[in-house]
Amino acid sequence: MAYLNLKPEEIKYLVVHCSATPADMDIGAKEIKQWHRERGWLDIGYHYVITRDGDVETGRPEDTPGAHARGYNQVSLGICMVGGTKKDKRTQENNFTEAQFATLRRLLEGLESGYPNAEVIGHRDLPGVIKGCPSFDAGGWYYDE
């Protein structure tokens, strides 16, 4: 059952994730949705997926809480970049394409205008998250350039 209750002024974070896949694994929102449904989730956990060629695919509607950041789904939107690991699918690797980074910047700039209280962070920047997702310092990258 979907519930629509996120309000723009309540969004505190734009959380960047990676799909934890190697550079040669070209997937998108369809495959990630399938993985998440196999875990028993109702839908894809992210609001947006950025494919290897830089396309943006829509996941959950922006006004629907995601399933991407436990404890923070009610106050965040999730953006997943395809890639982020070496071939072993465990070792973090910043293997994203220039097209993905260009699209991420445009997407975040657009989202910031609609969510004035939101800060860009990586999944790893949330308290209690141990893994290195998204394999780079998303906030540093966004705000330092």
Side-chain angles (χ1 to χ4, degrees):
M1 174 185 348
Y3 48 100
L4 307 176
N5 64 352
L6 294 182
K7 295 175 178 56
E9 63 275 6
E10 296 172 341
I11 299 298
K12 295 179 183 176
Y13 304 105
L14 301 174
V15 183
V16 180
H17 298 262
C18 70
S19 63
T21 54
D24 63 354
M25 193 168 178
D26 193 13
I27 61 164
K30 177 182 174 184
E31 290 82 4
I32 295 172
K33 180 177 183 171
Q34 178 181 337
W35 297 344
H36 288 180
R37 296 203 60 183
E38 287 170 359
R39 288 180 161 182
W41 299 356
L42 295 176
D43 198 354
I44 187 171
Y46 308 112
H47 296 89
Y48 295 99
V49 174
I50 301 176
T51 62
R52 301 290 299 165
D53 62 2
D55 285 344
V56 176
E57 296 180 352
T58 303
R60 291 191 183 201
E62 287 181 17
D63 59 355
T64 301
H68 62 91
R70 181 173 289 167
Y72 294 87
N73 290 316
Q74 294 288 341
V75 294
S76 66
L77 297 180
I79 300 115
C80 180
M81 294 178 66
V82 172
T85 65
K86 293 185 177 187
K87 285 196 178 281
D88 64 13
K89 296 184 184 177
R90 287 185 296 269
T91 307
Q92 297 292 309
E93 179 178 65
N94 182 345
N95 58 17
F96 306 108
T97 66
E98 287 183 31
Q100 283 178 291
F101 278 115
T103 298
L104 179 61
R105 180 157 305 277
R106 284 191 306 274
L107 178 60
L108 291 171
E109 287 171 350
L111 290 171
E112 269 194 326
S113 68
Y115 299 95
N117 301 323
E119 175 186 2
V120 174
I121 63 170
H123 185 213
R124 69 186 189 178
D125 298 318
L126 291 170
V129 175
I130 297 170
K131 61 184 180 176
C133 175
S135 305
F136 70 100
D137 178 5
W141 167 82
Y142 185 71
Y143 294 114
D144 290 344
E145 290 192 10

